[in-house]
Amino acid sequence: MGIQKPAWLEAMCTEKFFAPCPIHESAKKNEKNICCLDCCISICPHCVMAHRFHRLVQIRRYVYHDVVRLEDLEKLIDCSNVQAYTINSAKVIFIKKRPQNRQFKGSGNYCTSCDRSLQEPFLHCSLGCKVDFVLKQYKDISPFLRRCTTLQLSPDFFIPQDMADDDTAHSTIVDSDEPWGSSMSDSSGSENMMMMMSTTTFPCTEFVRKKRSGLYVCGRTVVNSNYKNLSSDEDMATSMSRRKGIPHRSPLC
């Protein structure tokens, strides 16, 4: 009697993927779209850290069926004669059978297990169909298996951050109920004045239009209870550039 399906292959063909993870049922992105080949179970992205040293394969979805990248499966088993499809520039193959009832068969290739029409020169429409065909014809699948000790997820696979990391990140933002001025009581008076002038928005009480040389220069005069008649930058620049009488020239040497 030959070797039957390995445990990881049986799990890949029987596990229910894209179902909510019971361990992380309250977390976001908790769909089980990963197959741990060492534990022979389906896991979600939140479970990856607990299985980070195991062989992991990402399960994708194509036309409501589970698929795996051909590049990943070829490290585990011979996938020749299995028809592949292209998704996001990557070739994938179906995992499970996709039966299709046909009353009449035309010319061309058909799947050896489910009679689905195929392109030349493929003979199987899914990995499950090829495994069943091999076991039926050769009674042994071991010659088609490949030794693979390490298999990790692709670098672009999204792994959510741990909930503790999220709490730490949010804890860095502190909301204080104390008045803004009381938090600055330990600073010197000059530093308080500079910071208040640079960060505090004063109410605008007057909008002045000054005519000079045919141009209108707009400035705002602001008033504060502690600091009166503070002008905006536009007024300061205007007052500094205003001419008063005859300009003074430096004496000629």
Side-chain angles (χ1 to χ4, degrees):
M1 185 66 179
I3 299 178
Q4 299 298 315
K5 295 180 183 179
W8 65 263
L9 182 58
E10 186 68 27
M12 188 178 294
C13 295
T14 57
E15 279 288 319
K16 185 178 180 180
F17 297 100
F18 295 95
C21 178
I23 302 176
H24 303 94
E25 57 182 358
S26 61
K28 296 180 179 180
K29 298 184 181 297
N30 64 343
E31 290 184 335
K32 297 190 294 182
N33 59 348
I34 304 169
C35 183
C36 179
L37 304 183
D38 295 331
C39 300
C40 300
I41 58 173
S42 56
I43 62 176
C44 76
H46 298 275
C47 303
V48 170
M49 291 304 297
H51 300 260
R52 60 186 180 275
F53 299 115
H54 298 174
R55 295 175 300 169
L56 303 177
V57 173
Q58 181 184 358
I59 309 299
R60 291 172 168 82
R61 202 76 166 157
Y62 180 63
V63 292
Y64 305 103
H65 290 83
D66 299 335
V67 297
V68 180
R69 285 197 314 175
L70 180 61
E71 180 182 357
D72 294 335
L73 277 181
E74 283 184 332
K75 300 176 182 177
L76 301 167
I77 190 172
D78 180 13
C79 298
S80 59
N81 295 325
V82 180
Q83 181 167 321
Y85 300 85
T86 303
I87 304 178
N88 296 331
S89 302
K91 289 186 176 182
V92 299
I93 62 176
F94 289 94
I95 300 175
K96 304 174 184 178
K97 292 182 178 182
R98 297 179 298 151
Q100 185 176 8
N101 296 327
R102 289 181 178 272
Q103 297 179 354
F104 302 99
K105 288 186 178 181
S107 61
N109 286 11
Y110 289 87
C111 180
T112 55
S113 298
C114 60
D115 294 336
R116 181 175 290 272
S117 61
L118 302 173
Q119 299 177 358
E120 296 283 351
F122 301 108
L123 302 176
H124 317 286
C125 72
S126 66
L127 178 63
C129 291
K130 177 172 182 176
V131 171
D132 289 349
F133 175 79
V134 170
L135 291 176
K136 183 178 180 180
Q137 295 292 326
Y138 304 102
K139 311 297 182 183
D140 188 5
I141 198 175
S142 58
F144 297 87
L145 299 178
R146 295 174 178 174
R147 181 177 177 81
C148 179
T149 57
T150 60
L151 185 59
Q152 298 297 323
L153 300 173
S154 58
D156 59 344
F157 182 78
F158 174 75
I159 300 178
Q161 294 183 354
D162 189 65
M163 298 300 293
D165 294 339
D166 293 341
D167 295 341
T168 303
H170 289 294
S171 64
T172 58
I173 303 175
V174 180
D175 295 329
S176 176
D177 295 333
E178 298 180 359
W180 180 82
S182 61
S183 62
M184 302 295 296
S185 59
D186 296 336
S187 302
S188 62
S190 60
E191 293 177 350
N192 285 341
M193 182 181 297
M194 295 299 295
M195 294 184 65
M196 290 176 66
M197 292 177 62
S198 61
T199 58
T200 305
T201 302
F202 299 108
C204 179
T205 58
E206 184 181 358
F207 191 84
V208 183
R209 301 181 68 184
K210 299 179 181 180
K211 183 177 181 181
R212 178 187 171 212
S213 302
L215 299 176
Y216 284 94
V217 180
C218 299
R220 290 178 296 175
T221 304
V222 293
V223 178
N224 183 266
S225 59
N226 297 325
Y227 307 96
K228 297 181 179 180
N229 297 332
L230 295 178
S231 299
S232 60
D233 294 339
E234 293 88 351
D235 285 341
M236 295 178 63
T238 303
S239 61
M240 293 177 62
S241 62
R242 184 182 297 119
R243 291 186 179 182
K244 292 184 179 181
I246 301 174
H248 297 279
R249 294 188 176 89
S250 58
L252 298 176
C253 297

